[in-house]
Amino acid sequence: SLTLVLYEQLSAQIVQDLVQSRWYLLGALVAVVVVCFVYILLLRWVVAPVVWASIAGLLAVLGFSVYLCYKNYVYFKENPVQLVQTTNLKGYAQSVFSKHQTWLAILIAVALVLLILLIIVIFLRAVYDIKSTIFFPMFPWVLQCAVIAYGILVLMLLMSIGESAFSVVNMIVNLLGFFWMMFFISGVSDMMLASTFSTWYWTFKKKDLPFFTLTSGIFRTIRFHLGTVAFGALIIAIVRVIRVILEYIDHKIKKFDNPFTRCIMCFCKCFCWCLENFLKFINKNAYIMCAVHGKSFLEDCERNDGSPEKPYFMSKNLMNILGKKNKQA
């Protein structure tokens, strides 16, 4: 076929270009080997400056790449190029990189890499000591994907029943269960990581850090704190269900176009949104305190509420930065 012939011509062109540029490729390979050798020697003598300079340089290159990809994406989207079919390798590359979709895909990929590297750099020290935490977020993500798939399946089954009081009640109950499971998985992962990093933080000599630090955090969470996480997740799930119901009511009453009802609904939705975010903040801090101290959910919520009587914990360095002092008893 014509497509097969075009691909054969393109393959032949690639081989021909590689043969013609073999000496340039060989020179580049030698240069890379020399640079790597020099880099290794520098790491042998000045580790910290070289490592941090490399990280800063990589982040700078990725940041500039994101900017460049965005500029090209905008340019080719506003100025589409008429593509000409060709078997020339250079022309084929130009046709590919003249599409704004190509630059959008590269932009997303580079931005994700930059974001991941930034997160790793921020938590570099703890993650360096506990390397398994890099891959840990994959497991909650897989579990949440499974819950989403199950929720979609249940939703399809409920929709097949038809509209009735029974189906509406089942919809609300299953919606509550769906949100409860999602927040429960997220809370369990937060608790496990909090338990792991609290062990790292309170280990004075990092070389004495247990080998199975993450495993120990997972075990402690499953053994002692699942009820705590379930209770906190249930609170947020109930508020989320209320928000969904309000959104449904708002969708139904839009046809009346009543300013008073719009104002009331806007107030209710805003209140529930603020309440949910406040509870998420309280929950996450309660999970952390629970992982550190091993107390119950409500006790950890009461331990530090930010009031003058129960202020949040501040290290001495943070107090010096903020100009705060502990009050004398």
Side-chain angles (χ1 to χ4, degrees):
S1 63
L2 179 60
T3 305
L4 183 59
V5 172
L6 291 176
Y7 276 115
E8 289 179 353
Q9 292 177 351
L10 180 61
S11 302
Q13 183 68 33
I14 292 174
V15 173
Q16 183 180 356
D17 289 343
L18 290 175
V19 172
Q20 291 178 352
S21 58
R22 61 185 182 278
W23 296 113
Y24 297 102
L25 294 175
L26 182 60
L29 179 61
V30 173
V32 168
V33 171
V34 172
V35 170
C36 291
F37 183 73
V38 173
Y39 186 81
I40 293 172
L41 287 179
L42 290 175
L43 286 175
R44 175 67 178 81
W45 302 107
V46 281
V47 178
V50 173
V51 170
W52 286 110
S54 302
I55 293 174
L58 180 59
L59 293 177
V61 170
L62 288 175
F64 179 75
S65 300
V66 169
Y67 169 76
L68 185 63
C69 291
Y70 176 75
K71 294 289 289 185
N72 286 327
Y73 165 72
V74 173
Y75 174 79
F76 285 110
K77 187 176 182 180
E78 295 177 351
N79 305 281
V81 178
Q82 187 68 29
L83 301 179
V84 179
Q85 193 172 18
T86 178
T87 58
N88 182 269
L89 182 59
K90 182 178 179 181
Y92 180 76
Q94 288 177 346
S95 65
V96 171
F97 287 100
S98 297
K99 300 177 181 178
H100 70 276
Q101 295 92 339
T102 303
W103 289 106
L104 178 61
I106 298 175
L107 171 64
I108 295 173
V110 175
L112 286 175
V113 173
L114 178 60
L115 179 62
I116 292 172
L117 286 178
L118 282 174
I119 294 174
I120 292 176
V121 168
I122 292 172
F123 300 100
L124 186 61
R125 186 177 176 185
V127 171
Y128 177 78
D129 291 328
I130 313 173
K131 299 178 179 62
S132 55
T133 54
I134 298 177
F135 307 100
F136 175 77
M138 295 174 57
F139 298 100
W141 181 78
V142 171
L143 291 176
Q144 287 183 334
C145 288
V147 172
I148 292 173
Y150 178 75
I152 294 174
L153 178 62
V154 172
L155 178 63
M156 294 173 62
L157 292 175
L158 290 175
M159 291 179 65
S160 65
I161 298 175
E163 292 188 4
S164 63
F166 175 75
S167 65
V168 172
V169 172
N170 270 275
M171 189 79 73
I172 295 175
V173 171
N174 282 278
L175 192 64
L176 175 62
F178 171 76
F179 287 132
W180 193 0
M181 283 301 301
M182 292 293 289
F183 291 127
F184 177 76
I185 294 172
S186 178
V188 167
S189 63
D190 290 341
M191 178 78 78
M192 290 176 177
L193 289 177
S195 179
T196 301
F197 288 120
S198 64
T199 303
W200 172 86
Y201 182 82
W202 295 111
T203 303
F204 182 73
K205 295 182 179 180
K206 304 308 177 188
K207 64 180 181 180
D208 297 332
L209 198 67
F211 181 77
F212 294 101
T213 307
L214 178 59
T215 308
S216 301
I218 294 173
F219 173 77
R220 283 194 298 270
T221 302
I222 295 176
R223 174 65 178 83
F224 300 106
H225 303 307
L226 286 184
T228 295
V229 179
F231 183 69
L234 177 62
I235 296 174
I236 304 179
I238 293 173
V239 178
R240 177 61 65 87
V241 170
I242 295 174
R243 288 186 61 193
V244 172
I245 294 174
L246 288 175
E247 290 289 345
Y248 177 77
I249 295 174
D250 184 43
H251 176 72
K252 287 295 184 181
I253 65 176
K254 274 185 178 179
K255 57 184 178 181
F256 298 107
D257 195 21
N258 190 328
F260 178 74
T261 56
R262 287 205 307 269
C263 179
I264 294 297
M265 290 304 301
C266 182
F267 172 78
C268 292
K269 290 193 293 183
C270 181
F271 172 77
C272 289
W273 179 84
C274 293
L275 178 62
E276 180 180 333
N277 283 274
F278 172 75
L279 290 174
K280 283 182 178 179
F281 172 79
I282 293 295
N283 268 16
K284 181 165 286 190
N285 284 275
Y287 293 158
I288 294 172
M289 297 299 291
C290 183
V292 174
H293 299 285
K295 303 295 183 179
S296 64
F297 178 82
L298 296 178
E299 186 174 351
D300 285 314
C301 286
E302 294 178 355
R303 181 180 293 272
N304 300 96
D305 57 7
S307 62
E309 294 78 15
K310 300 177 182 178
Y312 293 122
F313 171 77
M314 286 189 186
S315 64
K316 291 183 179 180
N317 291 332
L318 182 58
M319 285 193 290
N320 290 333
I321 294 173
L322 299 178
K324 301 287 186 179
K325 292 183 179 179
N326 287 325
K327 293 183 179 180
Q328 300 294 329

